[in-house]
């Protein structure tokens, strides 16, 4: 979240660069939001396998439901922090939730 020149939690690109620069040093699983939106069950299973868990199909579905955007946004205190800015973490819960209009996106992607 930006407030003028102040960026709470740091810049995303710096955060990402810091973690990815350590991929060879640490055992890091990279999850993409787009993949979680596309198939949450598959991604929960990937995380489970990464940490050495063998989850049943029903447990995977339970986790997917408990961590869905609809479920977590319905909990008022789920993302509260000292900033008091819930919107600094949550947006709309959709892929390509963008501040850009269609023509801007087309010029960026081409």
């Amino acid at each position: 979240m930006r407030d003028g020149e102040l960026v709470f939690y740091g810049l995303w690109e710096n955060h990402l660069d810091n973690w990815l620069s350590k991929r060879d040093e640490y055992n890091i699983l990279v999850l993409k939001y787009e993949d979680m939106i596309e198939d949450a069950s598959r991604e929960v299973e990937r995380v489970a396998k990464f940490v050495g868990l063998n989850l049943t199909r029903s447990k995977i579905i339970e986790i997917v439901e408990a961590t869905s955007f609809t479920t977590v946004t319905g909990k008022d205190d789920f993302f509260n922090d000292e900033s008091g800015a819930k919107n600094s973490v949550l947006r709309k819960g959709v892929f390509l939730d963008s501040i850009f209009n269609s023509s801007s996106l087309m010029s960026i992607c081409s």
Side-chain angles (χ1 to χ4, degrees):
M1 177 175 110
R2 294 180 188 264
D3 180 12
E5 295 299 311
L6 181 63
V7 179
F8 297 103
Y9 309 115
L11 293 174
W12 171 247
E13 55 269 25
N14 293 343
H15 174 77
L16 186 61
D17 285 343
N18 287 335
W19 279 105
L20 292 180
S21 72
K22 301 294 185 181
R23 282 179 108 170
D24 295 332
E25 188 176 340
Y26 299 106
N27 191 17
I28 297 173
L29 174 67
V30 176
L31 297 173
K32 295 189 303 181
Y33 183 75
E34 298 83 357
D35 293 339
M36 291 187 291
I37 293 295
E38 179 183 295
D39 190 343
S41 295
R42 178 191 65 214
E43 296 306 301
V44 167
E45 190 169 11
R46 281 185 63 220
V47 172
K49 286 181 180 178
F50 183 76
V51 298
L53 296 176
N54 185 17
L55 300 178
T56 64
R57 191 80 198 136
S58 62
K59 188 54 137 175
I60 291 170
I61 292 168
E62 180 184 331
I63 292 168
V64 168
E65 290 172 358
T67 58
S68 73
F69 188 79
T70 303
T71 300
V72 298
T73 55
K75 298 180 179 184
D76 289 335
D77 63 345
F78 196 81
F79 284 104
N80 285 348
D81 63 13
E82 58 277 355
S83 74
K86 183 176 181 179
N87 288 337
S88 69
V89 179
L90 299 176
R91 293 186 64 164
K92 295 178 186 171
V94 295
F95 175 55
L96 285 179
D97 168 20
S98 180
I99 59 173
F100 301 106
N101 62 33
S102 297
S103 61
S104 296
L105 283 172
M106 291 303 291
S107 67
I108 290 169
C109 295
S110 58

